[in-house]
């Protein structure tokens, strides 16, 4: 009988196996951000009809470059071909030395600094001169994924990998059970941002794949952290109270819950888990859509080549040779053998893999003959404190959560979709009436933007929020086909505060970044992009945009393999300079990937002109009315004191009279408000 790996071998290989299942193993070129591949879908009676997607919003006539310059870009790590449209690249900066060849992850911002997570720690960049970002500190502290968030003088860092140490050491951990292991949240004091001080940590039973920082408007003493941990439950011998049993066997199971940490701002060392909300109650596992034709072809080709193909719930995975050889070698060592692995060793590896899949999936089957359970964790939870809601992207479901009690979020609604494979992240529009979820089909480690891949798979899904329910509207997917050498699927992004429009910048891994106008929820459309060719010309190798966010006039991109990119918007017929200037008038003190601020625009002439530009673009007023308003606004700006105030009040009165007869009275109302607010500064 061929033995399975020993306990010591499991302690070494389990992190890699977990990483493979979550498609986050940078060492085997499958680094990504999902926690369980193929774990989504929906019941058939809940599936929306395929939408008429990718058409242009009414009145927004977009003429993208043709042919698309993203197709056929030359490969390369730091010298790949590039394509850009309606953006200007201000800088591209390679990783600092210790992080070259390591996986860059998510971003957070505070003051003039961009904080970039990395599987080996944290990189802080001074972006006050965006054309020349300066490395402030490269802080080594391994523990995948090192997703980052900030509040005031505190930095929070996720740790989920089995090799992360409490002391930030890089020697890893060999033991299956160790009290030196860090799986949870690290807390740093960044009062001196060049010298982060590690002040506390909070351990959790499944680690922290990602996390969300919530500053509740009614609590000035604490911040709350919603922890999303996707790894197997750690043994109780390592962290007391952890249990991998199903809730029917143990009501205190560590599965099917999130953790809420309360951090006292005056004493972060007292941070502690205060609740474990079971927001997945009664959800059942939705069906998956299975592999695409391109996947099937690649799987069959891999089998024909004799490669190692394994089945996990929802899909088949071709294991990289490097991973397979590493695992087979451990089995040979465990049985005390020498020489090449045998067929029995391969069989043992398959059985071991199946066992670990079952552990990661939380037990897999439901009780008795009932349906299998739904998700056991979320991937991302995006909080919008000003409207009291959060969007939970939770594997097989998108959730709408009430966060009015920050320590005890509750589920308001849940949606699923047979076109989705893995609900990954969520973004609200600014007024909180619409939410967009992303689908990380393939976990971020696979090429899912090939020409033969369905446009509804690995895309975004847009829902309106009506009476506490989420109503499906449409899909958006990157419209430029990518090659089989490029991991590509929907990933992280943020709103850009263009007044009167819902515009989002989003990363698509090696699909690059895409600027999306989703003001018309039925017709989202791309209005700008940047892309590079494949990292490797011969095989799929991880790279591309992990996340990209707007922050104080800049668009900052965390490039997995290539470092940090900074862009700015450029004017065009679909986005004017006035709209860009109005957006850039919004200034934030900090920004976290899973925390949405409400955007409020100061009174500026650019804001009023932005609304006029939009009224012209969408024919909301007559051409003569728009020309007259522009002339009056220019005259008011040239005046000062009481003359300016009088001119603005006269213009506001005129526009108010015209609103009722306008084609877009609501937008004219916004214009009137912008003009009236200018009188306060006259």
């Amino acid at each position: 009988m061929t033995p399975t790996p020993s306990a010591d071998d499991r302690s070494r290989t389990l992190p890699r196996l977990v990483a493979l299942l979550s498609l986050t193993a940078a060492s085997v070129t499958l680094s990504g951000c999902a926690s369980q591949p193929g774990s989504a879908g929906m019941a058939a009676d809940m599936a929306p009809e395929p939408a008429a997607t990718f058409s242009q919003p009414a009145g927004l006539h977009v003429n993208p470059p043709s042919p698309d310059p993203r197709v056929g870009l030359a490969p390369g790590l730091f010298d790949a071909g590039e394509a850009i449209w309606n953006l200007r690249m201000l800088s591209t900066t390679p990783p600092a030395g210790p992080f070259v060849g390591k996986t860059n992850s998510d971003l957070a911002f505070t003051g003039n600094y961009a904080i970039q997570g990395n599987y080996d720690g944290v990189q802080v960049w001074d972006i006050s001169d965006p054309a020349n970002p300066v490395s402030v500190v490269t802080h080594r502290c391994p523990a995948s994924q090192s997703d980052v968030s900030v509040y005031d003088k505190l930095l929070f860092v996720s740790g989920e990998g089995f090799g992360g140490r409490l002391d930030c050491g890089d020697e890893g951990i060999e033991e299956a059970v160790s009290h030196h292991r860090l799986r949870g949240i690290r807390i740093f004091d960044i009062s001196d941002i060049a010298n982060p001080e590690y002040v506390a940590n909070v351990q959790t039973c499944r680690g922290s794949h990602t996390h969300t920082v919530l500053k509740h408007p009614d609590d000035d003493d604490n911040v709350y952290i919603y922890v999303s941990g996707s790894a197997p439950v750690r043994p109780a011998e390592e962290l007391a109270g952890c249990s991998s049993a199903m809730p029917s066997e143990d009501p205190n199971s560590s599965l099917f819950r999130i953790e809420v940490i309360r951090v006292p701002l005056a004493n972060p060392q007292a941070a502690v888990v205060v609740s474990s909300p079971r927001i997945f109650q009664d959800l059942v596992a939705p069906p998956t859509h299975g592999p695409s034709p391109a996947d099937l072809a690649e799987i069959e080709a891999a089998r024909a080549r004799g490669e190692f193909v394994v089945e996990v719930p929802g899909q088949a995975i071709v294991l990289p040779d490097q991973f397979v050889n590493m695992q087979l070698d451990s089995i040979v060592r465990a049985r005390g053998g020498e020489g090449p692995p045998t067929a029995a060793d391969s069989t043992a590896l398959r059985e071991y893999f199946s066992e670990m899949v079952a552990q990661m999936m939380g037990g897999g089957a439901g009780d008795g003959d009932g349906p299998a359970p739904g998700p056991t964790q979320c991937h991302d939870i995006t909080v919008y404190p000003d409207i009291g809601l959060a969007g939970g992207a939770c594997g097989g479901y998108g959730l709408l959560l009430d966060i009015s009690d920050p320590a005890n979020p509750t589920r308001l609604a849940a949606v699923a979709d047979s076109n989705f494979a893995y609900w990954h992240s969520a973004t609200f529009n600014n007024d909180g009436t619409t939410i967009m979820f992303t689908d990380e089909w393939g976990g971020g480690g696979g090429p899912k933007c090939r020409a033969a891949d369905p446009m509804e798979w690995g895309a975004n899904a847009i829902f309106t929020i009506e009476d506490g329910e989420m109503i499906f509207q449409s899909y958006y997917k990157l419209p430029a086909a990518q090659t089989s050498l490029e991991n590509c699927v929907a990933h992280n992004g943020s709103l850009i505060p263009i007044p009167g429009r819902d515009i989002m910048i989003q990363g698509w891994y090696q699909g690059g970044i895409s600027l999306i106008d989703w003001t018309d929820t039925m017709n989202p459309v791309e209005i700008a992009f940047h892309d590079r060719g494949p990292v490797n010309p011969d095989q799929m190798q991880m790279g591309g945009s992990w996340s990209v966010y707007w922050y104080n006039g800049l668009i900052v991109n965390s490039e997995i393999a290539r470092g940090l990119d900074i862009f700015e918007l450029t004017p065009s017929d679909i986005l004017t300079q006035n709209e860009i200037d109005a957006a850039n008038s919004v200034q934030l003190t900090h920004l976290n990937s899973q925390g949405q601020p409400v955007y409020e625009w100061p009174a500026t002439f650019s804001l009023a002109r932005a609304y006029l530009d939009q009224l012209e673009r969408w024919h909301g007023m007559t051409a003569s009315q728009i020309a007259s308003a522009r002339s009056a606004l220019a005259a008011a700006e040239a005046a000062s004191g009481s003359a300016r105030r009088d001119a603005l009040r006269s213009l506001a009165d005129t526009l108010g009279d015209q609103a009722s007869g306008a084609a877009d009275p609501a937008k004219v109302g916004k214009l009137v408000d912008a003009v009236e607010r200018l009188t306060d500064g006259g």
Side-chain angles (χ1 to χ4, degrees):
M1 178 177 177
T2 302
T4 56
S6 67
D8 285 345
D9 284 316
R10 284 197 298 270
S11 74
R12 286 189 289 268
T13 62
L14 181 58
R16 298 186 182 100
L17 187 55
V18 170
L20 178 68
L21 285 170
S22 61
L23 297 178
T24 56
S27 63
V28 293
T29 70
L30 281 175
S31 172
C33 197
S35 58
Q36 301 169 5
S39 59
M42 67 173 281
D45 61 351
M46 298 174 65
E49 292 295 325
T53 56
F54 318 117
S55 59
Q56 299 173 126
L60 184 58
H61 302 292
V62 179
N63 295 303
S66 182
D68 196 312
R70 289 171 286 188
V71 176
L73 289 170
L77 181 56
F78 296 113
D79 58 351
E82 298 186 48
I84 193 167
W85 175 54
N86 288 342
L87 294 170
R88 179 181 297 111
M89 177 177 275
L90 299 177
S91 61
T92 180
T93 308
F99 288 170
V100 173
K102 307 297 182 179
T103 298
N104 292 315
S105 59
D106 220 340
L107 293 166
F109 302 87
T110 182
N112 291 324
Y113 302 101
I115 303 173
Q116 185 177 35
N118 182 282
Y119 274 49
D120 268 12
V122 173
Q123 175 72 53
V124 179
W125 301 95
D126 182 338
I127 58 171
S128 53
D129 179 1
N132 295 286
V134 175
S135 174
V136 176
V137 62
T138 302
H139 185 78
R140 283 184 55 81
C141 188
S144 66
Q145 306 181 134
S146 297
D147 278 9
V148 289
S149 294
V150 294
Y151 187 80
D152 194 25
K153 299 301 182 182
L154 297 178
L155 168 66
F156 307 98
V157 185
S158 282
E160 185 180 54
F162 286 70
R165 299 181 58 90
L166 288 169
D167 60 7
C168 282
D170 59 6
E171 62 267 35
I173 293 176
E174 293 291 320
E175 298 80 13
V177 174
S178 172
H179 296 292
H180 299 292
R181 180 173 284 123
L182 180 284
R183 291 177 62 198
I185 298 292
R186 302 187 195 269
I187 304 175
F188 294 86
D189 185 319
I190 53 171
S191 299
D192 178 0
I193 200 165
N195 295 284
E197 181 185 357
Y198 186 12
V199 296
N201 66 76
V202 181
Q203 299 270 37
T204 61
C205 288
R206 298 185 69 183
S208 173
H209 192 70
T210 69
H211 70 269
T212 305
V213 171
L214 168 60
K215 170 59 178 67
H216 196 271
D218 297 330
D219 187 347
D220 291 332
D221 298 325
N222 305 284
V223 294
Y224 296 83
I225 301 175
Y226 293 171
V227 179
S228 297
S230 56
V233 177
R234 64 205 303 182
E237 295 84 357
E238 184 169 284
L239 184 63
C242 296
S243 169
S244 60
M246 296 294 286
S248 58
E249 302 170 6
D250 182 355
N252 296 315
S253 170
S254 304
L255 303 172
F256 302 98
R257 72 184 196 188
I258 63 171
E259 276 74 47
V260 178
I261 297 171
R262 183 174 59 219
V263 183
L265 293 172
N267 183 21
Q269 292 83 355
V272 64
V273 174
V274 293
S275 67
S276 299
R278 296 196 177 278
I279 59 175
F280 312 107
Q281 193 74 27
D282 303 323
L283 295 177
V284 298
T288 62
H289 58 54
S292 73
D295 289 329
L296 290 171
E298 290 192 5
I299 290 167
E300 290 310 309
R303 285 195 173 107
R305 293 190 297 267
E307 296 181 31
F308 207 97
V309 180
V310 296
E311 299 290 334
V312 300
Q315 65 180 311
I317 292 179
V318 181
L319 299 185
D321 290 341
Q322 180 183 348
F323 176 84
V324 171
N325 294 336
M326 179 175 59
Q327 304 308 313
L328 289 174
D329 287 346
S330 74
I331 291 175
V332 172
R333 291 195 305 272
R335 64 176 170 81
E338 296 181 357
T342 66
D345 294 330
S346 294
T347 300
L349 178 56
R350 292 179 189 277
E351 293 173 350
Y352 174 50
F353 194 93
S354 297
E355 173 190 338
M356 295 312 304
V357 168
Q359 181 180 352
M360 280 200 67
M361 302 303 280
D367 297 329
D369 297 327
T376 69
Q377 256 292 349
C378 287
H379 185 279
D380 280 18
I381 300 174
T382 297
V383 294
Y384 197 169
D386 284 88
I387 64 172
L389 295 177
C394 304
Y397 286 84
L399 307 184
L400 187 65
L401 304 175
D402 180 341
I403 57 171
S404 54
D405 178 354
N408 297 287
T410 58
R411 189 177 87 226
L412 298 174
V415 291
D417 183 345
S418 57
N419 284 320
F420 261 43
Y422 193 84
W423 298 69
H424 177 277
S425 54
T427 302
F428 293 91
N429 69 345
N430 194 56
D431 62 14
T433 59
T434 307
I435 187 169
M436 178 189 288
F437 289 98
T438 67
D439 171 21
E440 196 185 34
W441 171 37
K448 300 301 185 181
C449 301
R450 298 158 296 190
D453 289 325
M455 293 298 278
E456 295 83 7
W457 297 5
N460 302 332
I462 300 171
F463 297 79
T464 54
I465 301 172
E466 304 174 25
D467 299 322
E469 298 293 333
M470 292 180 284
I471 311 300
F472 174 78
Q473 301 296 307
S474 66
Y475 300 105
Y476 171 86
K477 187 173 183 179
L478 187 76
Q482 304 291 303
T483 70
S484 61
L485 300 177
E486 296 170 283
N487 56 301
C488 176
V489 75
H491 213 229
N492 294 345
S494 76
L495 288 184
I496 295 180
I498 305 295
R501 297 171 71 177
D502 296 335
I503 292 181
M504 176 179 173
I505 188 71
Q506 182 180 7
W508 291 77
Y509 289 109
Q510 286 200 72
I513 65 175
S514 177
L515 187 66
I516 310 159
D517 187 315
W518 51 303
T519 311
D520 180 347
T521 58
M522 293 297 295
N523 296 289
V525 64
E526 183 177 56
I527 61 174
F529 59 69
H530 174 264
D531 189 19
R532 292 182 172 96
V535 169
N536 190 310
D538 302 315
Q539 62 183 5
M540 212 294 293
Q541 182 176 330
M542 279 298 299
S545 175
W546 181 290
S547 55
V548 60
Y549 305 110
W550 181 95
Y551 181 69
N552 294 348
L554 304 176
I555 293 173
V556 185
N557 179 46
S558 178
E559 223 289 353
I560 290 170
R562 297 169 170 123
L564 193 79
D565 299 322
I566 302 181
F567 303 86
E568 65 180 4
L569 297 169
T570 58
S572 66
D573 58 343
I574 50 178
L575 187 66
T576 67
Q577 187 64 55
N578 291 318
E579 291 175 297
I580 295 170
D581 290 344
N584 293 349
S585 71
V586 176
Q587 294 291 298
L588 305 175
T589 59
H590 70 283
L591 179 69
N592 293 318
S593 64
Q594 295 181 42
Q596 277 193 235
V598 61
Y599 288 140
E600 298 177 327
W601 292 268
T604 63
F605 282 89
S606 294
L607 178 63
R609 290 192 173 100
Y611 288 134
L612 276 171
D613 291 345
Q614 293 169 10
L615 285 163
E616 180 179 44
R617 181 183 297 119
W618 284 290
H619 310 292
M621 296 175 66
T622 67
S624 61
Q625 288 172 334
I626 290 170
S628 177
R630 281 182 172 145
S631 178
L633 197 62
E637 186 175 23
S640 60
S642 60
R644 172 180 284 188
R645 286 193 296 271
D646 291 345
L648 290 168
R649 287 170 181 155
S650 177
L651 175 57
D653 289 342
T654 299
L655 292 168
D657 292 339
Q658 294 170 342
S660 60
D664 188 351
K667 184 61 64 72
V668 178
K670 291 181 179 291
L671 172 59
V672 171
D673 178 69
V675 172
E676 288 177 340
R677 289 171 58 205
L678 283 169
T679 64
D680 297 334

